[in-house]
Amino acid sequence: MPEIAEVARVVHYLKKHLVGRTVAAVRAEEDDLLFGKVGTSASAFKTAMTGKKILDARQQGKYFWLVMESKPHPLMHLGMTGWIRFSNDDTSAYYRPKKEETDWPPRFSKFVLDLTGEPKCEVAFVDPRRLGRCRLIDAEADEMRKVSPLKENGPDPVIDKDILTVEWLMQLLRRKKVPVKALLLDQANISGIGNWVADEVMYQAKLHPEQYSNTFSDEQIKRLHDAIMYVCGTAVESLAESDKFPKGWLMKYRWDKGKKTGGKLPNGAKITFLTVGGRTSAVVPSVQKKTAAVAGDVSEGVSDESEEGEAEAKPKKSVKRKTKAEENGDAEEAGDTTTATRPKRGRKQIDYEVKDESDEGEEEAPVPKKQKTTTTSRKATPKKTASNPTKPSKGSSDGVYVKSEQADGRRRSGRTTK
């Protein structure tokens, strides 16, 4: 799914093609997920956007928004499969688009903005899985980050370097006791870090993703901080083009669980895959050593001094539920779910639910299929009572047992008297 770097690419192209232009017309269909789930409607969106001039495009983590000449301003999240496409520019995607994705208007488009001026340009929000969100924020442009949902999200590693310092990170890690990768994925802690970025950060910092956040030394936290800044900064600067990433980055070899690369780095180091925070995590054991307690070492629940507005991370029973993230939508590669498990006998393991995808990115629960039910019939055995101490035998004058058919087709045993 789009993370901090992919969203930065969207913002780059919005600045390139939209800023300074006026929205001439809006085409949008009512969508109870894209608009309705965050308290907006297609008609309200059309009214707010039509005839307005676009002054800027901005980002915080996985959120981005357009600064209009007057409020309200549209705040968007791409969810798992959302993207922004431009009628006059096919290079906006960070991957090579399929042939059918070059059609216009695009398939799965949720709204299309028709802009004034030259060259002719239309911009569309596309989302096959409908996990993206678009809402209107009735606040001044400079106050956007002070209102929900942005105010509930943590600092952005690229634009909030003055906040996300080593000391700040040290305090965050030591007041919690959760697997460190789960902490990084929680958007209430740090904005923009998703699954592949978190794996890259942990690899560059040479730390194990399962290790508890409050067990790291000062030197290890400094390495983690440097890795966060390095990975996020490099990825954003490259606009999510993986060909421009350093050759030694783990992300180039982690996809499909290493099937295409043999599960190894170019230097021969083996890549293993495990689940941390409900996500598939790529780990290089020869580099990422466990230096203290990890989630698999204990079976007791973990207390978490949660920040205001943050869900407490607790071990769950064997239940599958849709992932939540920053009120928007973040699981990994298509269709990820958070699985929390009860510790098993022998090797004890706990996964922690991560607040990475909130109700904004939450997928609708599937409708359960009707299951066939079968019933077995057997001859009933009467209970012993004072009046009926024994089961009557065939031909008994006390009565006989017969089988009868109920209206629903099931058989039942009953006793009839002569």
Side-chain angles (χ1 to χ4, degrees):
M1 71 165 297
E3 302 181 27
I4 187 171
E6 290 81 6
V7 175
R9 185 177 185 87
V10 166
V11 172
H12 168 81
Y13 279 88
L14 289 174
K15 287 176 178 285
K16 178 180 179 180
H17 294 297
L18 271 68
V19 172
R21 292 193 177 195
T22 298
V23 179
V26 179
R27 303 194 300 273
E29 298 294 332
E30 292 295 351
D31 190 312
D32 58 352
L33 294 180
L34 178 72
F35 297 115
K37 199 143 190 178
V38 288
T40 312
S41 65
S43 57
F45 180 74
K46 291 178 183 178
T47 300
M49 299 293 290
T50 304
K52 295 283 189 68
K53 187 175 182 180
I54 301 171
L55 303 182
D56 199 3
R58 298 175 185 174
Q59 171 187 7
Q60 178 183 328
K62 299 177 185 180
Y63 279 107
F64 64 100
W65 63 96
L66 295 175
V67 177
M68 310 303 290
E69 61 180 330
S70 62
K71 59 184 182 180
H73 311 283
L75 176 67
M76 291 163 278
H77 191 284
L78 296 171
M80 190 180 296
T81 59
W83 197 249
I84 300 294
R85 288 196 45 209
F86 303 85
S87 62
N88 62 333
D89 193 345
D90 286 334
T91 66
S92 64
Y94 60 93
Y95 57 90
R96 181 175 294 177
K98 299 178 183 178
K99 184 177 180 180
E100 59 268 23
E101 293 179 334
T102 60
D103 297 334
W104 199 269
R107 189 183 181 192
F108 305 119
S109 58
K110 304 307 173 186
F111 66 76
V112 178
L113 305 181
D114 185 2
L115 305 173
T116 60
E118 294 294 335
K120 175 66 176 177
C121 177
E122 292 184 351
V123 57
F125 187 111
V126 297
D127 186 8
R129 296 194 61 189
R130 300 175 68 204
L131 298 177
R133 300 291 178 260
C134 178
R135 72 182 79 198
L136 296 171
I137 302 296
D138 191 22
E140 298 299 332
D142 294 337
E143 302 292 316
M144 287 286 288
R145 297 187 65 188
K146 296 179 181 180
V147 299
S148 294
L150 295 180
K151 72 175 183 179
E152 283 83 25
N153 283 247
D156 182 301
V158 174
I159 63 177
D160 295 321
K161 294 179 180 179
D162 56 331
I163 298 175
L164 212 166
T165 62
V166 176
E167 293 73 21
W168 182 91
L169 184 62
M170 191 175 296
Q171 293 178 12
L172 175 66
L173 266 63
R174 289 179 174 169
R175 72 170 176 261
K176 297 175 180 289
K177 187 180 180 182
V178 294
V180 63
K181 183 180 176 180
L183 182 145
L184 293 179
L185 290 177
D186 191 333
Q187 303 298 295
N189 297 322
I190 301 174
S191 290
I193 297 180
N195 204 34
W196 81 258
V197 172
D199 280 354
E200 194 64 53
V201 166
M202 299 308 300
Y203 172 66
Q204 297 296 331
K206 300 180 180 180
L207 302 175
H208 198 281
E210 286 184 312
Q211 188 167 329
Y212 282 130
S213 58
N214 63 343
T215 63
F216 292 104
S217 66
D218 290 356
E219 187 272 335
Q220 288 175 316
I221 295 176
K222 175 64 165 59
R223 292 203 323 250
L224 178 61
H225 175 271
D226 292 348
I228 291 172
M229 296 304 181
Y230 164 63
V231 173
C232 292
T234 302
V236 167
E237 184 179 353
S238 303
L239 295 179
E241 293 185 28
S242 59
D243 290 344
K244 296 181 180 180
F245 293 169
K247 294 182 179 180
W249 272 25
L250 174 64
M251 74 87 59
K252 290 177 174 287
Y253 312 95
R254 70 180 294 279
W255 307 109
D256 299 320
K257 292 190 175 181
K259 292 179 181 179
K260 293 183 179 179
T261 60
K264 294 182 179 180
L265 296 176
N267 61 9
K270 184 179 179 181
I271 305 172
T272 61
F273 296 87
L274 48 85
T275 300
V276 183
R279 305 297 179 82
T280 299
S281 304
V283 181
V284 182
S286 61
V287 174
Q288 298 168 260
K289 305 290 186 180
K290 301 174 183 178
T291 61
V294 299
D297 292 339
V298 298
S299 59
E300 299 299 326
V302 177
S303 61
D304 176 21
E305 298 178 6
S306 303
E307 295 180 341
E308 183 178 359
E310 179 185 353
E312 189 173 1
K314 296 180 180 179
K316 305 285 183 180
K317 295 181 180 179
S318 297
V319 175
K320 284 189 177 182
R321 65 174 58 178
K322 305 298 177 182
T323 49
K324 291 188 175 183
E326 38 140 330
E327 293 187 53
N328 47 43
D330 187 44
E332 189 195 13
E333 298 99 46
D336 196 15
T337 56
T338 299
T339 304
T341 60
R342 177 182 295 176
K344 298 179 180 179
R345 293 181 180 179
R347 185 177 185 274
K348 298 175 181 178
Q349 179 75 31
I350 299 177
D351 281 347
Y352 296 86
E353 183 181 0
V354 179
K355 182 190 175 186
D356 184 44
E357 304 283 333
S358 79
D359 60 341
E360 291 192 37
E362 189 174 21
E363 190 177 3
E364 290 185 310
V367 178
K369 296 181 179 179
K370 292 184 178 179
Q371 297 181 350
K372 294 182 178 180
T373 58
T374 59
T375 59
T376 58
S377 61
R378 60 181 178 180
K379 184 176 292 186
T381 302
K383 296 181 180 179
K384 292 182 179 181
T385 64
S387 60
N388 184 25
T390 60
K391 178 180 177 180
S393 60
K394 292 183 179 180
S396 169
S397 61
D398 292 336
V400 294
Y401 282 81
V402 299
K403 294 178 180 178
S404 64
E405 296 288 342
Q406 290 185 351
D408 59 2
R410 291 182 298 172
R411 302 179 112 185
R412 65 179 177 84
S413 295
R415 181 173 181 274
T416 61
T417 58
K418 292 182 178 180

